[in-house]
Amino acid sequence: MPNAQCPMPNLMQNYVISAQWLREHLEDPQVVIVDCRFSLADAELGKKQYQNSHIPGARYLDLNLDLSSSIQTHGGRHPLPDSNTLAQKLAAMGINFQNTLVVAYDDSRFAFASRLWWLLRYFGHDRVAVLDGGFTQWVEAGYPVTQDLPIPKVGNFTPQVQVDWVVDIAGVKTRQHLAGVVLVDSREGDRYRGDQEPIDPIAGHIPGAVNYPWQDASNPNGYLQPIEDQRQRWRNLDASEEIIVYCGSGVTACVNLLSLELAGVRGAKLYAGSWSDWCSYQGLGIGDV
């Protein structure tokens, strides 16, 4: 018989939980906490932060090593991970498919926690939420932290990949100018406009894309904006037939996918390779800016 599921908190349509709720459920065997802290500027920083201090019981998943696959000529800077490989890691953390409640947190306004949130749902596991306020607000609330590593657990995770949640560059090229299709660029305005490009070799955006910076989904303290604000944020797109979201490499776009879900706008897709994939085709007759 399967274990009884942990009741999801009734907050922001169940995909966002408070530090207080998590504090009250730290000992719940049906809750697995995942630390997703990471820095694009220093790939070792997140793991060091985890080793120094983390929420009791939390496991760690690294953006580069766990939540992405290896970089190829095309596919962007953070290709989606192999589903079976990540599934084995999730099972080794004690996560049972569609039974365990996974709580993901970071310290970057959901930039990395939302990647795991989206990946789990992409794999067919809906019981996942992000921690509102992230690690900083957990600490400021006076809740416990530790350096101790959690006790090993064994779970069972068999992914059911939602293949229609993702589009590649061919799909973008085919649909970007169709009536009813909206392409959302999630990067900061200066990168969207091409005023600067600190990471990728080409500045600018995919033709026809509109700009919704991912940071606007939350406030500077790391709390998601209220549901009504999320709805207002997307009010001009909620009648669209299809929304395709991208960013630099398919990571922070997941914050906008979370925001859309909270706003009640369903079915948005991820261009997983995003701008870094688009740039890789420059001069090859596809993806030219």
Side-chain angles (χ1 to χ4, degrees):
M1 294 290 291
N3 294 326
Q5 290 185 339
C6 172
M8 288 280 278
N10 185 21
L11 175 63
M12 285 196 174
Q13 301 179 0
N14 292 343
Y15 288 131
V16 187
I17 67 166
S18 68
Q20 179 181 348
W21 188 94
L22 184 59
R23 175 66 183 90
E24 294 169 354
H25 291 79
L26 282 181
E27 305 301 325
D28 194 319
Q30 295 304 312
V31 175
V32 170
I33 307 167
V34 183
D35 188 319
C36 299
R37 283 177 290 175
F38 191 80
S39 169
L40 295 174
D42 180 358
E44 299 298 320
L45 180 61
K47 184 63 176 290
K48 292 177 182 176
Q49 290 174 325
Y50 171 78
Q51 293 170 339
N52 181 63
S53 179
H54 56 263
I55 296 176
R59 273 75 175 164
Y60 182 75
L61 287 177
D62 184 281
L63 173 64
N64 286 347
L65 302 179
D66 303 311
L67 304 182
S68 306
S69 59
S70 59
I71 299 175
Q72 307 295 326
T73 302
H74 303 296
R77 285 181 280 105
H78 293 102
L80 296 182
D82 175 76
S83 59
N84 291 325
T85 300
L86 182 54
Q88 291 174 5
K89 295 177 181 179
L90 296 172
M93 299 167 73
I95 297 173
N96 291 300
F97 183 73
Q98 282 294 40
N99 190 41
T100 303
L101 171 59
V102 180
V103 179
Y105 73 86
D106 61 26
D107 212 11
S108 303
R109 297 174 66 177
F110 311 98
F112 309 111
S114 66
R115 168 81 163 200
L116 178 59
W117 169 84
W118 183 87
L119 279 170
L120 282 168
R121 295 175 63 250
Y122 172 62
F123 286 173
H125 183 91
D126 294 323
R127 295 182 59 76
V128 56
V130 296
L131 176 63
D132 208 14
F135 186 72
T136 292
Q137 300 305 325
W138 174 273
V139 172
E140 291 190 357
Y143 294 145
V145 296
T146 186
Q147 292 182 335
D148 297 339
L149 297 180
I151 298 173
K153 293 183 178 180
V154 177
N156 186 353
F157 196 98
T158 304
Q160 298 177 3
V161 179
Q162 314 297 303
V163 294
D164 60 343
W165 284 24
V166 176
V167 298
D168 58 12
I169 190 170
V172 174
K173 293 285 287 186
T174 299
R175 290 155 29 207
Q176 69 185 112
H177 298 302
L178 294 178
V181 176
V182 178
L183 188 60
V184 173
D185 187 316
S186 304
R187 298 170 302 162
E188 300 89 332
D190 55 355
R191 291 183 69 192
Y192 167 79
R193 294 187 299 270
D195 297 340
Q196 66 159 339
E197 180 47 64
I199 304 175
D200 293 307
I202 301 169
H205 61 267
I206 299 174
V210 294
N211 189 212
Y212 283 75
W214 65 273
Q215 295 95 331
D216 291 348
S218 64
N219 66 33
N221 291 325
Y223 289 103
L224 281 160
Q225 302 289 3
I227 288 292
E228 186 54 37
D229 289 358
Q230 305 287 356
R231 291 173 178 153
Q232 286 298 313
R233 185 171 180 240
W234 300 104
R235 65 187 183 280
N236 293 330
L237 303 187
D238 58 7
S240 303
E241 295 178 12
E242 183 177 44
I243 299 174
I244 300 173
V245 185
Y246 76 93
C247 56
S249 64
V251 177
T252 55
C254 295
V255 181
N256 269 344
L257 290 168
L258 172 62
S259 176
L260 282 161
E261 191 72 26
L262 295 175
V265 182
R266 315 294 186 203
K269 296 179 172 64
L270 174 67
Y271 172 24
S274 288
W275 181 247
S276 54
D277 177 61
W278 188 273
C279 291
S280 73
Y281 289 92
Q282 176 68 18
L284 300 180
I286 183 171
D288 290 348
V289 179

